[in-house]
Amino acid sequence: MDNQSRVFFVSLTIVVLLVILLWFQPAIEEGLAPEPQRAWVAIETATEPARVGPVTMAAGTPFTLRAVLEARGRGGRPIYYTEARSLHFAGREAPVPEASIRTWDRVPRVKVRWFTVEGPQPFLELADEAALEAFEMQLFFRPDWPDAWSVPGVVEAAMDDHLDLDERDALGVVQRFGTQRYHARIELYPSDESVLPMSRYSSWGPQQLPQETARFPTVVATLPGALAPVSRVFGLSQLEPPLGAPASLLARLRRLADQGLAFSRLTVLRDQLRYAGLAPDTASWRPIDLGGDNRWGQEAAAGDLLRVGERVVVLFEDRGTAGVLDYQDLCFDFVRGAAIRTLDEVFSGEGLVVEHLPIAERPDSR
C-alpha cells in the first residue's frame, strides 16, 4: 500500500470513528450520568427558597411546587435535578450546595404527575374505635395540573370534588386557606413518542406520612389572628366520635389533630379556646342578638364563637349590613365537614338563644 492510500485509509477510519462516537455520544453520556434514586416535592414562595418539608404561610400567598429528582453521581455524591435555584430539606441544618443542583438536560424526556395527599372524604362518623383504624390518607391525582417540573401551588382539596359547591361559590368566597400535602411521580420516557415510561420515581406518599409529618411537603395557609387555628383545618377530614366515646379514642383524635391529619368539632373548639387562653369549664358564654344591635370589632369579631345548644360556629366575615353583626354574616360551620355558611343557615327558627364567646382581641383589650 502506497503512502497516498495509507493516508486515505487512516483518514477514512478516523471519520468513521468520529461518526460512531457522535452517534453513540448521548448513550455514552447517559451511561456516565448520575443515577436517579428518588423524587421529592419542594415548596417555594417569592420570599422563601424551595423547601422539602412543611411551610406555613399567610392565606393567599402565591407559591410554587418544585419537583426534585435526587440522583447519585460519581463517588456517591447526591445530585438534585430541579428548577429550583436553591433547595432546603426540613431537618437538615445546611441547604443543598449550589453545585449539587442542576436542571434536567439529559436524553430521557420527563413528565411529572402531581397528586395531593388527603383523607378519603370530608366527613367520617366513627361508630367505634375500630372505625378509626380504617381511616387512611390517600393519593388524589390532579389531572388539571401541568405535567411539568414546576406548577403553581393550590390548597384546594380534591376529596370534595364530588360535592356540590354551588353554595360556596354563591357566597363569593375564594378559599385560599387550609392544609394541603403534595406528592410527585417523576416519569422518564426514552423519546417523545413513547407511551410507557422507562422508569418512575415517587416522592413520599400516604405510607410515609404518619411517621414523617414533621418533614412531609405540606402547606398550611392560615388566616390572620383568631382565625388562624380554625382556618388550618380546611382540606382535612372531619372525624366525629360517637356519644360516650372512650377516652382512648378521643386521645387518638387529638393526636391526629395535633399532627394536622384530621380534626373534630371538639379539637376545633379546643384550639380556639387555647388561642384565647381559655378553658372549657371557665369560658363565659353570654346571649347575643343577631338582629343588628352589635357591631363588628366591638361586641363581635372574626374568630369568636357562637352556639345554640351543641351547634358551635366560628365567626368569619361581615357580609350583611356593613359593620353590624347580623344573620347575613359568614361563619365556619362543622356539621359534616368544614364549610362556610351564613348565620341564618345555621341559626334559623323561633325562640333560639344564641350565645357568644369572645376569642379575638379587641383594640380596647390591649
Side-chain angles (χ1 to χ4, degrees), residues 164-173 330 333 339-342 345:
D164 184 2
L165 301 179
D166 290 343
E167 176 183 297
R168 187 183 69 186
D169 295 338
L171 295 175
V173 176
L330 301 182
D333 191 23
I340 301 171
R341 296 189 170 96
T342 56
E345 293 180 81

Side-chain angles (χ1 to χ4, degrees), residues 126-129 240-250 266 310:
L126 304 175
D128 50 33
E129 195 159 1
E240 285 302 325
L243 291 175
S248 57
L249 173 56
L250 297 179
L266 286 176
E310 295 184 353

Side-chain angles (χ1 to χ4, degrees), residues 173 177 223 227 296 301-303 314-318 330-332 340:
V173 176
F177 50 86
L223 293 168
L227 289 175
W296 278 83
V314 181
L315 276 178
F316 172 36
E317 192 173 281
D318 182 10
L330 301 182
C331 67
F332 293 148
I340 301 171

Side-chain angles (χ1 to χ4, degrees), residues 300-313:
D304 287 358
L305 300 177
L306 297 178
R307 76 177 181 186
V308 171
E310 295 184 353
R311 186 78 172 267
V312 181
V313 301

Side-chain angles (χ1 to χ4, degrees), residues 259-276:
Q259 292 177 296
L261 298 177
F263 74 96
S264 70
R265 283 179 293 180
L266 286 176
T267 63
V268 168
L269 178 61
R270 176 202 66 176
D271 292 343
Q272 288 301 105
L273 293 176
R274 182 181 291 171
Y275 175 88

